[in-house]
């Protein structure tokens, strides 16, 4: 068993669903479309899919339940109408005459999947814990329309402290995938680790320094 | 106190390479006989360690010995992981999924020594480096023990167990110096103060006095550092030093017992003792000295003075009077005696060590004494070798502590005879050991004639330079080690060794007599011993009123 909050499961059906997979750009780099207001009974709020938000998507491989753990590293707003010089049917204050264009506006998220955890259902109560955590490149792909959920604090902690020690083994892959904001998304994770896992703060400091220095050097601030 | 000395190896047949493979040859190094090995980070190969590779030479597979000269990190954790001294870098490495510290690799440079040629009994350079990709193993302990010293294990000649190979566990590779080679080609023990040079010299002396060697040794000891050697006769170490009837004789001669026979001096010695003599005085003295020497071998200061008066043909005897004053001032002391030394066996005899404690003599007197004694002994050895005289029909070894006093880079009465003994002594069985903490102050000829060197920690650049220039066997690889040696660690090099090695000197059997003065302890006990009235603190100069001159000014 990995270190998990005994009271809270790593993942549960209470986790807020953020959106669905619409495209993948590489083995670990996915595009997720955020549910809009009318898609869900409990649509996600902006804070639920902020930059650096840990997420997961469950999948079943050969009868075993896995959760692929990822992080929001980018976002893009898409408006199909933008630049289109189409007819206007009514004024903005007469909404009921406007056809369904509004719903085609999308919020797309870049999600980097960092690793996988094998799930084990709780014997008492709902939810599952992480039985094993693997921070190597995920071996399986998700499918289009797979749901992506917000990862709980307990799940975030369980993923990063698989054997009690801090693990950020995906760091180099994340930086390479997130490209422009590689440093920032790493810093966001470090920041969350510092808030939600109070141990090993000094190790986090050393890593943060490294990330900041590398970013400043790569971007030409330092030589 | 340690137990009996370990047995020397019996032959040179051991396999050269041990089972422990430590690395893989990557490529040739910068120098012609260098190559580089890649070594896993968890294997420690220190400089001075011996490794073995296999190569082909003269149509045969040969195991070639090489010495590690440098080790540097080829791959390791980056500096940014070490940013916080409070954070274990392996925790950072572990968090980021970087393989642990042990997965670092080192690049080690080694220099070929050669394969051991049993017929030549020394190393032969195969002039071929190992192929890239070939394995390098640690050299076998037993092999090193047998081939590092230049010794003939089959003969029964004496061996000095001086210590162990550094870098290996204590006792794993015993180092035995062949005493014959040390005595024949002379010895230099060079080390800065406090690094254990007289300790090391004592270890050698102990070994020379063991039943297997029974040497005849004379020690010139200006500081009284060797007066614990009589402990060799104690029961505690009987196992080491006694064999049947044999037991080492130790004769510590106290300063007041030491004398120089005036007939043993030369005219040059006499002149050196006199205060600026004039040419006339020199002439008169030479005549008188020649006359007296022809007549007898008992010359006192009175005879010398009288003879000078006889020789001086001047009416007023001015020259002889002036000489008389100078001669009496120089020679009319307890140090100089009338009768020439006839019997030398009270000084030197097989199985006997004589320690001359010179600590109350002035430096010129020490030099004069050494010159007179060494000259006498050398003449006796020359005559014995030619069959003219059998007083000293055995070889001698003499050790000069503070060797720069007796053979300085400058003037000293003893320098000439020492130069002679060092260059010619081999023929007459007269070995010299020079112990010095200032190699740069030693006469360069004397230093370069010492064929075997025991070199310990030396920081002073001038001294390092002197060793570099005078000691042939000391390569740069060896000299680079000098500043980093700690007390008790030494480089053994020269004729007694097939290749220079780093050694840890063994513990003495006898207690060490050359500790530094414990100043604070001495002050405390000295204070206690003083008269209480002198320990009152401030002394009032005017307390005793009678002493005060009250006359108004």
């Amino acid at each position: 068993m990995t270190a998990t909050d005994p009271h809270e499961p790593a993942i549960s059906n209470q986790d807020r669903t953020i959106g669905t997979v619409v495209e993948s750009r590489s083995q670990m780099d996915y595009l997720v479309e955020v549910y809009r207001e009318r898609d869900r009974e409990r649509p996600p709020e902006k804070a639920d899919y902020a930059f650096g938000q840990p997420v997961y998507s469950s999948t079943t491989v050969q009868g075993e339940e896995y959760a692929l753990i990822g992080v929001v590293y980018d976002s893009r707003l898409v408006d199909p109408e933008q630049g289109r010089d189409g007819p206007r049917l009514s004024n903005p204050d007469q909404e009921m005459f406007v056809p369904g264009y509004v719903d085609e506006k999308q919020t797309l998220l870049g999600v980097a999947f960092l690793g996988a955890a094998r799930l084990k259902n709780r014997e008492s109560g709902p939810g599952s814990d992480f039985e094993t955590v693997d921070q190597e490149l995920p071996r399986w792909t998700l499918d289009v329309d797979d749901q992506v959920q917000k990862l709980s604090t307990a799940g975030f902690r369980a993923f990063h402290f698989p054997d009690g020690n801090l693990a950020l083994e995906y760091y180099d892959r994340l930086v390479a995938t997130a490209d422009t904001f590689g440093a920032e998304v790493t810093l966001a994770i470090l920041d969350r680790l510092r808030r939600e896992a109070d141990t090993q703060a000094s190790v986090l400091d050393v890593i943060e320094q490294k990330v900041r220095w590398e970013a400043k050097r790569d971007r030409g601030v330092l030589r | 106190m340690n137990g009996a000395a370990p047995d020397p190896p019996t032959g040179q047949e051991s396999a050269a390479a041990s089972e422990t493979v430590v690395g893989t040859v990557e490529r040739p190094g910068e120098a012609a006989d260098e190559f580089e090995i890649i070594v896993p980070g968890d294997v420690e190969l220190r400089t001075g360690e011996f490794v073995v590779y296999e190569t082909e030479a003269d149509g045969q597979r040969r195991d070639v010995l090489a010495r590690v000269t440098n080790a540097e990190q080829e791959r390791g954790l980056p500096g940014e992981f070490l940013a916080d001294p409070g954070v274990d870098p392996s925790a950072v490495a572990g968090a980021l999924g970087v393989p642990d510290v042990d997965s670092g690799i080192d690049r080690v440079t080694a220099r070929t020594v050669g394969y051991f040629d049993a017929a030549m009994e020394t190393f032969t350079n195969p002039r071929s480096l190992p192929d890239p990709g070939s394995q390098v193993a640690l050299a076998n302990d037993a092999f090193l023990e047998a081939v590092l010293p230049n010794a003939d294990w089959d003969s029964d000649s004496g061996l000095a167990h001086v210590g162990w190979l550094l870098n290996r566990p204590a006792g794993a590779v015993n180092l035995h110096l062949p005493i014959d080679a040390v005595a024949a080609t002379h010895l230099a023990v060079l080390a800065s103060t406090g690094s254990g040079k007289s300790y090391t010299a004592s270890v050698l002396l102990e070994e020379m006095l063991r039943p297997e060697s029974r040497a005849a040794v004379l020690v010139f000891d200006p500081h009284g550092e060797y007066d614990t050697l009589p402990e060799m006769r104690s029961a505690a170490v009987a196992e080491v030093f006694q064999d049947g009837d044999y037991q080492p004789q130790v004769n510590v001669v106290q300063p007041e017992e030491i004398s120089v026979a005036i007939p043993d001096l030369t005219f040059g010695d006499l002149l050196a003792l006199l205060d600026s003599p004039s040419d006339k005085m020199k002439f008169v003295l030479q005549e008188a000295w020649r006359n007296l020497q022809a007549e007898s071998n008992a010359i006192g200061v009175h005879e010398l003075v009288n003879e000078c008066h006889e020789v001086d043909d001047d009416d007023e005897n001015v020259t002889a009077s002036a000489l008389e004053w100078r001669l009496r001032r120089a020679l009319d002391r307890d140090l100089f005696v009338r009768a020439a030394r006839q019997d030398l066996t009270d000084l030197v005899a097989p199985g006997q060590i004589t320690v001359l404690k010179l600590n109350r003599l002035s430096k010129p007197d020490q030099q004069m004494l050494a010159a007179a004694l060494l000259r006498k002994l050398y003449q006796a050895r020359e005559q014995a070798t030619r069959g003219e005289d059998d007083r000293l029909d055995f070889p001698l070894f003499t050790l000069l502590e503070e060797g720069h006093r007796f053979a300085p880079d400058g003037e000293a009465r003893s320098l000439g005879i020492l130069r002679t003994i060092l260059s010619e002594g081999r023929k007459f069985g007269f070995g010299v050991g020079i112990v010095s903490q200032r190699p740069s102050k030693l006469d360069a000829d004397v230093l370069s004639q010492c064929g075997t060197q025991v070199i310990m920690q030396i920081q002073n650049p001038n001294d390092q330079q002197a060793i570099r220039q005078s000691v042939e066997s000391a390569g740069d690889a060896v000299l680079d080690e000098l500043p980093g040696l700690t007390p008790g660690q030494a480089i053994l090099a020269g004729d007694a060794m097939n290749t220079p090695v780093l050694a840890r000197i063994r513990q003495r059997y006898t207690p060490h007599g050359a500790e530094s003065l414990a100043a604070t302890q001495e002050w405390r006990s000295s204070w206690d011993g003083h008269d209480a009235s002198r320990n009152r603190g401030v002394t009032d100069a005017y307390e005793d009123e009678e002493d005060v001159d009250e006359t108004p000014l």
Side-chain angles (χ1 to χ4, degrees):
Chain A
M1 273 308 280
T2 54
T4 312
D5 188 328
H7 304 296
E8 280 188 53
I11 63 175
S12 73
N13 53 15
Q14 297 298 306
D15 296 330
R16 181 71 56 91
T17 306
I18 296 171
T20 55
V21 170
V22 292
E23 187 186 331
S24 86
R25 290 185 279 207
S26 75
Q27 178 71 16
M28 63 177 281
D29 188 5
Y30 283 76
L31 209 58
V32 172
E33 185 185 343
V34 178
Y35 285 133
R36 300 193 69 81
E37 243 172 83
R38 287 168 205 155
D39 294 339
R40 303 288 287 177
E41 194 179 319
R42 267 198 324 155
E45 293 171 19
K46 279 195 172 165
D48 293 331
Y49 52 89
F51 181 80
Q53 172 64 48
V55 297
Y56 73 92
S57 181
S58 314
T59 186
T60 306
V61 181
Q62 291 178 329
E64 295 268 12
E65 288 271 347
Y66 288 93
L68 265 58
I69 315 292
V71 63
V72 175
Y73 74 86
D74 203 359
S75 64
R76 195 163 304 155
L77 301 177
V78 179
D79 179 4
E81 200 185 345
Q82 200 269 327
R84 203 182 282 174
D85 205 8
R88 284 267 167 211
L89 294 180
S90 68
N91 294 324
D93 55 348
Q94 293 171 309
E95 267 184 33
M96 57 181 182
F97 294 112
V98 177
Y101 277 94
V102 176
D103 289 338
E104 287 180 23
K105 288 177 183 165
Q106 300 165 330
T107 302
L108 297 177
L109 301 177
V111 172
F113 282 95
L114 310 170
R118 192 164 72 204
L119 300 182
K120 189 183 179 195
N121 286 327
R122 288 209 159 183
E123 286 167 12
S124 58
S128 315
D129 289 323
F130 293 168
E131 194 176 16
T132 58
V133 168
D134 179 10
Q135 292 196 350
E136 299 292 313
L137 183 69
R139 280 174 286 168
W140 316 288
T141 53
L142 296 170
D143 286 321
V144 170
D145 289 343
D146 274 357
Q147 290 193 331
V148 174
Q149 278 98 347
K150 201 176 153 186
L151 184 65
S152 68
T153 301
F156 179 75
R157 210 179 285 148
F159 182 67
H160 284 97
F161 294 89
D163 52 3
N165 288 323
L166 176 67
L168 289 169
E169 292 169 25
Y170 54 75
Y171 160 69
D172 46 342
R173 259 180 294 122
L174 174 59
V175 168
T177 304
D179 198 23
T180 323
F181 299 127
E184 280 71 15
V185 70
T186 310
L187 292 175
I189 291 176
L190 291 175
D191 195 40
R192 192 176 288 268
L193 279 167
R194 203 174 271 123
R195 273 186 280 122
E196 299 185 353
D198 45 11
T199 54
Q200 290 176 301
S202 49
V203 175
L204 295 175
D205 290 344
V206 173
I207 297 173
E208 177 173 338
Q209 280 176 30
K210 172 185 160 60
V211 171
R212 285 189 189 278
W213 271 90
E214 276 178 357
K216 296 296 178 196
R217 195 179 52 214
D218 294 348
R219 294 167 188 175
V221 180
L222 298 169
R223 272 170 196 276
Chain B
M1 197 75 33
N2 39 13
D7 291 330
T10 48
Q12 289 149 339
E13 290 80 33
S14 317
S18 72
E19 308 255 304
T20 318
V21 175
V22 287
T24 310
V25 176
E26 193 203 23
R27 60 182 182 201
E30 283 172 19
D33 55 350
E34 270 182 1
F35 58 96
E36 292 178 358
I37 317 166
I38 296 296
V39 174
D42 55 350
V43 173
E44 202 168 343
L45 270 191
R46 282 170 278 194
T47 54
E49 180 60 274
F50 288 102
V51 294
V52 171
Y53 67 88
E54 205 183 61
T55 192
E56 191 152 328
D58 305 333
Q60 283 187 49
R61 300 304 294 172
R62 301 277 196 181
D63 282 335
V64 181
L65 195 67
R67 183 202 322 277
V68 172
T69 55
N70 191 30
E72 57 194 52
Q73 195 176 52
E74 170 74 3
R75 186 185 71 195
L77 294 180
E80 55 200 357
F81 284 17
L82 321 177
D84 182 348
V87 175
D88 181 2
S90 59
V92 181
L96 293 182
V98 175
D100 203 7
V101 184
D102 284 347
S103 68
I105 51 178
D106 293 338
R107 175 190 302 278
V108 168
T109 309
R111 188 169 277 235
T112 301
V113 175
Y115 62 87
F116 191 75
D117 188 330
M120 304 278 289
E121 292 200 329
T122 186
F123 290 107
T124 305
N125 190 338
R127 310 193 63 75
S128 94
L129 290 175
D131 297 328
S134 55
Q135 285 184 335
V136 175
L138 271 189
N140 206 358
D141 285 351
F143 174 75
L144 289 176
E145 195 165 315
V147 303
L148 291 178
N150 180 17
D152 180 5
W153 308 112
D154 300 330
S155 76
D156 61 350
S157 51
L159 296 161
H161 173 241
V162 289
W164 306 282
L165 195 64
L166 202 69
N167 296 333
R168 301 279 171 113
V173 181
N174 290 301
L175 290 172
H176 293 90
L177 284 181
I179 292 175
D180 287 358
V182 174
T185 64
H186 312 300
L187 169 78
V189 179
L190 307 172
S192 56
T193 311
S195 52
K197 60 184 170 10
S198 46
Y199 193 101
T200 306
S202 302
V203 166
L204 268 168
L205 293 180
E206 284 180 1
E207 291 291 328
M208 294 176 102
L209 267 296
R210 288 185 51 200
E212 293 78 17
S213 301
R214 310 188 187 192
V217 182
L218 177 65
V219 179
F220 290 85
D221 179 14
H223 292 317
E225 290 172 307
Y226 294 86
D227 49 7
T228 55
L229 287 172
E231 298 285 328
M232 282 193 287
R233 295 167 62 82
S234 77
V237 289
E239 191 190 354
V240 180
F241 289 106
Q242 289 183 21
D243 181 28
D245 294 342
Y246 174 76
Q247 192 180 25
Q249 295 296 314
V250 185
N251 184 9
V252 178
V253 183
Q254 298 300 325
E256 55 273 15
E257 298 169 337
I258 293 175
S259 60
V260 179
I262 295 176
D264 288 345
L265 299 178
T266 62
F267 179 63
D269 294 341
L270 269 184
L271 278 188
L273 285 166
L274 301 187
D275 280 343
S276 50
S278 67
D279 287 351
K280 182 77 190 293
M281 287 182 214
K282 288 181 194 169
F283 172 76
V284 169
L285 184 63
Q286 190 168 17
E287 287 294 301
W289 183 248
R290 195 179 294 156
N291 295 346
L292 282 174
Q293 278 202 313
E295 286 166 17
S296 93
N297 54 8
I299 306 173
V301 66
H302 297 295
E303 283 99 337
L304 194 54
V305 166
N306 290 342
E307 189 65 27
C308 286
H309 281 286
E310 295 252 323
V311 170
D312 190 3
D313 50 7
D314 199 7
D315 292 341
E316 309 249 322
N317 259 353
V318 180
T319 311
S321 302
L323 261 177
E324 177 177 353
W325 180 81
R326 285 177 168 80
L327 283 169
R328 287 198 191 282
R329 199 177 112 111
L331 298 177
D332 209 359
R333 299 184 277 153
D334 289 346
L335 179 66
F336 294 98
V337 294
R338 230 177 131 256
R341 189 184 282 275
Q342 288 304 319
D343 186 20
L344 292 168
T345 50
D346 63 333
L347 268 185
V348 283
Q352 178 187 314
I353 178 166
T354 303
V355 179
L356 299 176
K357 290 179 73 172
L358 308 178
N359 43 354
R360 278 185 224 152
L361 300 184
S362 69
K363 194 162 144 186
D365 284 349
Q366 291 177 357
Q367 292 167 349
M368 186 67 74
L369 175 87
L373 272 182
L374 289 174
R375 200 182 298 124
K376 190 91 180 167
L377 290 169
Y378 185 64
Q379 281 164 0
R381 278 305 298 158
E382 261 185 320
Q383 288 165 353
T385 317
R386 293 198 203 106
E388 294 165 7
D389 185 342
D390 59 357
R391 276 182 302 168
L392 290 185
D393 57 350
F394 48 84
L396 299 179
F397 184 78
T398 181
L399 184 83
L400 294 121
E401 175 67 48
E402 304 282 338
H404 48 275
R405 287 198 182 184
F406 302 100
D409 182 20
E411 279 294 304
R413 289 314 301 167
S414 45
L415 180 56
I417 181 66
L418 271 172
R419 275 187 180 159
T420 308
I421 299 175
L422 280 157
S423 56
E424 312 279 329
R426 184 172 193 162
K427 285 180 270 183
F428 305 112
F430 199 150
V432 177
I434 302 269
V435 182
S436 175
Q437 74 262 36
R438 294 311 306 274
S440 60
K441 297 251 157 96
L442 269 174
D443 182 64
D445 284 347
V446 165
L447 184 54
S448 63
Q449 289 293 325
C450 294
T452 300
Q453 300 91 29
V454 178
I455 310 171
M456 307 181 81
Q457 183 193 45
I458 287 186
Q459 304 274 16
N460 185 309
N462 291 336
D463 293 333
Q464 291 186 11
Q465 191 59 28
I467 293 176
R468 209 173 284 268
Q469 284 170 352
S470 308
V471 181
E472 289 170 18
S473 64
D476 283 344
V478 171
L479 294 172
D480 289 348
E481 297 284 345
L482 287 182
L485 295 176
T486 53
Q489 299 178 343
I491 295 166
L492 307 182
D495 294 338
M497 302 299 295
N498 282 324
T499 184
V501 298
L502 288 172
R504 186 184 319 169
I505 301 299
R506 72 158 169 79
Q507 224 181 332
R508 279 180 64 172
Y509 294 112
T510 51
H512 189 45
E515 299 300 332
S516 304
L517 222 59
T520 50
Q521 194 187 336
E522 302 261 332
W523 284 328
R524 274 202 311 273
S525 62
S526 175
W527 189 89
D528 289 341
H530 272 233
D531 185 23
S533 67
R534 294 176 60 193
N535 287 331
R536 281 178 306 184
V538 181
T539 309
D540 183 358
Y542 296 101
E543 195 178 27
D544 195 350
E545 292 192 359
E546 286 170 34
D547 284 352
V548 180
D549 183 2
E550 306 228 336
T551 318
L553 292 169

